[in-house]
Amino acid sequence: IPKATGSASYPDDERGRTLAAFAEEILAETPRDRGWALVLEAGDGRLAYELAIRSDLKIICVESSSKLRSQARAHLKETGLYGSRISIHKGKRSALPYGDYFANVIVAAGASLGEGPRGAEGDVRRLLTPNGGVAFLRKETGEGVDVLHRAALEGAGSWTSQYGSPANTSSSEDELVTGAMTIAWFGRPGPRPMRDRGARNPAPLSSGGIMYVQGDDRIFGMDAYNGSILWTVEIPELIRTNVKADSTNMICDEKHLYVAVADACWVIEGATGTVLRELQVPTAVNPRFGDAKRAWGF
């Protein structure tokens, strides 16, 4: 994730300090500091900058004023963030051309100052990522900030085992997707960190808004709605091929990923990639098996 290589040219004033404090408030309410943020009525880009230097978010700013867009670009041009993590788009809140559920954070730049749009209806709900997306908008009363935490979509399916579920149904049991489908996102991790698919490697899994993709001695935890890589766990002993005969080496539930590694099952926290514990496989005690090694199956 690109970091700032220079300072922005914003003045050190009360407005800037208010927006810096608002950025810290936003990140304290947000489950992750990676993914995508959408800043509405972004003005001169000051809030986007304050968010960028405190997180790894990629940020899209929407501003209708050409004067303010020019000011934002001028302030950000020496930071190394403009064009790599902060984009300035011409637009209005009434016509946002972005894909459904892409934004982990949506905020009106002037919300903390009593400015900007009210409520969280319409496009804000269409664009906000389920399973933890957060929106910060001005209250209908005009005083203070409304904070919306997006829950999981009711009826959304999951893919927790190689063939959908432990029953091998090859069905996600999703109740929402019907008819024609389109691409929601594309990009990383790409082919470089992956094994040749001809070896029949384990399939990606998905539950709780996170997709787990197994690469070459590593596992990627990704936002299932926008493709952001949230974490990577390097596991040198991780390899499983020919799954049609030997089964997969990972399953998941709403909050955890379970991975067979050598003689242990690793329990990995889905949201962070933290290895919580390693469950050891008991050693064989039946003497007729001798020193034969056990192999992971289901």
Side-chain angles (χ1 to χ4, degrees), residues 158-173 251 298:
S158 61
W159 200 273
T160 61
S161 298
Q162 176 71 18
Y163 300 109
S165 72
N168 293 335
T169 59
S170 290
S171 171
S172 68
E173 299 186 5
I251 60 173
F298 287 90

Side-chain angles (χ1 to χ4, degrees), residues 26-243:
I26 291 168
L27 294 173
E29 288 278 354
T30 304
R32 323 176 173 131
D33 66 351
R34 290 193 174 195
W36 287 90
L38 177 64
V39 180
L40 304 172
E41 274 118 24
D44 63 0
R46 180 66 182 266
L47 178 61
Y49 173 71
E50 300 294 345
L51 286 170
I53 62 176
R54 291 169 169 80
S55 73
D56 288 329
L57 289 166
K58 298 180 287 290
I59 304 168
I60 293 176
C61 297
V62 178
E63 175 53 54
S64 58
S65 166
S66 60
K67 179 180 179 181
L68 290 174
R69 292 197 304 272
S70 295
Q71 289 179 4
R73 292 174 178 128
H75 284 306
L76 295 168
K77 68 179 182 179
E78 301 298 331
T79 64
L81 298 172
Y82 177 62
S84 60
R85 284 183 48 213
I86 301 177
S87 300
I88 312 294
H89 293 183
K90 176 183 178 181
K92 297 181 179 179
R93 188 204 171 181
S94 58
L96 298 171
Y98 309 110
D100 294 355
Y101 308 137
F102 96 95
N104 302 97
V105 179
I106 299 179
V107 57
S112 68
L113 305 172
E115 305 166 357
R118 299 177 182 177
E121 71 292 341
D123 262 3
V124 171
R125 288 192 179 274
R126 179 180 69 81
L127 297 171
L128 189 61
T129 303
N131 296 93
V134 187
F136 302 79
L137 300 167
R138 186 159 62 107
K139 287 185 176 180
E140 293 294 341
T141 60
E143 300 177 359
V145 178
D146 260 328
V147 182
L148 169 67
H149 292 266
R150 188 85 186 253
L153 292 178
E154 186 175 352
S158 61
W159 200 273
T160 61
S161 298
Q162 176 71 18
Y163 300 109
S165 72
N168 293 335
T169 59
S170 290
S171 171
S172 68
E173 299 186 5
D174 188 278
E175 300 173 5
L176 305 176
V177 178
T178 59
M181 292 184 284
T182 60
I183 294 174
W185 52 264
F186 65 93
R188 298 171 64 202
R192 187 177 297 275
M194 310 303 291
R195 289 188 178 273
D196 184 349
R197 68 175 185 171
R200 290 296 303 272
N201 306 299
L205 307 178
S206 184
S207 185
I210 298 178
M211 187 168 74
Y212 305 101
V213 179
Q214 189 170 151
D216 192 359
D217 292 338
R218 71 198 68 192
I219 291 178
F220 300 94
M222 304 175 65
D223 189 305
Y225 289 96
N226 60 33
S228 297
I229 295 178
L230 306 175
W231 50 261
T232 305
V233 175
E234 302 283 342
I235 308 177
E237 297 178 276
L238 180 71
I239 181 173
R240 177 60 61 92
T241 57
N242 195 28
V243 296

